[in-house]
């Protein structure tokens, strides 16, 4: 069981288990290291979406903790869906520049990485340009990859063009080849 307590006007969450009294640890597998202000941190995005994240009901989140002496976990919520959401909602890539800026913002707002208390930071849409240092590059999940918002099918990395069966160059080549060879018979 985990206690969750909110203080009025603050984004403070106590994530300590009730019985053990220890801190909730972040899994090391799949985490990346980042150095912010001379302190090493580990951060990670959950490998698989929760049911709510897959449906786009919950935002894209990532967790951060100190690398050397893990203490309180920082949970950052971004104003977009996960890249692997099931409905094709708009998303953003979580890059180290964003993670570093979120760590600095959380420390400014009162997160103590050495304490055992967790901290929740919710990033609003209008805060993203300041945190990234540029306008955010949103992506839209597509069957064969990610399309930049406002882009088209030519922006897909693994797909050159999608054709219907009637318009396909292969069907045109096949029709030309069959008419040239004289085998233009139809099956009953």
């Amino acid at each position: 069981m985990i206690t969750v307590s909110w203080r009025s006007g603050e984004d403070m969450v106590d994530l300590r288990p009730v019985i053990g009294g220890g801190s909730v640890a972040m899994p090391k597998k799949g985490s990346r290291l980042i150095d912010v202000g001379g302190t090493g941190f580990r951060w990670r995005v959950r490998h698989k979406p929760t049911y709510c994240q897959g449906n786009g009901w919950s935002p894209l989140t990532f967790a951060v903790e100190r690398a050397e002496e893990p203490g309180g976990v920082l949970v950052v919520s971004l104003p977009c869906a996960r890249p692997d959401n099931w409905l094709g909602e708009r998303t953003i890539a979580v890059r180290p520049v964003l993670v570093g800026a979120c760590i600095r913002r959380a420390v400014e707002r009162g997160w103590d990485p050495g304490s055992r208390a967790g901290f929740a930071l919710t990033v609003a849409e209008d805060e993203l340009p300041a945190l990234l240092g540029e306008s955010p590059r949103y992506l839209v999940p597509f069957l064969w990859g990610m399309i930049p918002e406002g882009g088209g099918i030519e922006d897909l990395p693994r797909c050159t063009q999608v054709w219907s069966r009637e318009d396909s160059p292969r069907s045109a080549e096949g029709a030309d080849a069959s008419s040239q060879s004289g085998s233009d018979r139809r099956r009953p």
Side-chain angles (χ1 to χ4, degrees):
M1 181 178 284
I2 296 176
T3 60
V4 178
S5 61
W6 295 93
R7 293 183 187 170
S8 62
E10 295 182 13
D11 292 333
M12 190 81 139
V13 180
D14 187 4
L15 298 173
R16 289 177 287 179
V18 174
I19 298 173
S23 67
V24 176
M26 186 178 82
K28 290 183 181 179
K29 185 175 182 178
S31 66
R32 298 183 63 188
L33 293 173
I34 187 169
D35 184 58
V36 177
T39 305
F41 292 93
R42 287 186 307 113
W43 66 276
R44 90 189 274 279
V45 176
R46 182 183 169 100
H47 286 288
K48 292 182 180 180
T50 63
Y51 183 76
C52 290
Q53 288 175 332
N55 280 314
W57 301 333
S58 296
L60 170 61
T61 59
F62 63 91
V64 180
E65 73 177 358
R66 276 197 327 191
E68 294 299 319
E69 298 173 17
V73 176
L74 167 65
V75 179
V76 179
S77 297
L78 299 174
C80 51
R82 285 178 55 101
D84 53 357
N85 75 81
W86 307 323
L87 303 176
E89 298 287 329
R90 180 178 75 162
T91 187
I92 190 170
V94 179
R95 299 180 305 169
V97 67
L98 177 60
V99 174
C102 288
I103 293 171
R104 284 188 285 278
R105 173 76 49 95
V107 169
E108 289 170 6
R109 292 189 180 174
W111 178 50
D112 179 14
S115 74
R116 294 230 181 255
F119 193 84
L121 177 69
T122 302
V123 177
E125 186 89 28
D126 58 343
E127 293 178 308
L128 279 176
L131 292 173
L132 290 169
E134 63 184 9
S135 294
R137 288 181 254 153
Y138 292 106
L139 302 169
V140 179
F142 191 67
L143 185 60
W144 295 291
M146 294 285 195
I147 300 175
E149 190 174 54
I153 199 160
E154 66 275 357
D155 296 319
L156 288 174
R158 289 179 266 162
C159 179
T160 55
Q161 198 162 6
V162 177
W163 299 87
S164 67
R165 289 183 181 225
E166 295 82 34
D167 298 334
S168 171
R170 288 185 177 182
S171 65
E173 291 171 6
D176 292 341
S178 64
S179 64
Q180 290 174 356
S181 64
S183 59
D184 196 15
R185 289 190 245 166
R186 294 186 179 178
R187 291 185 177 171

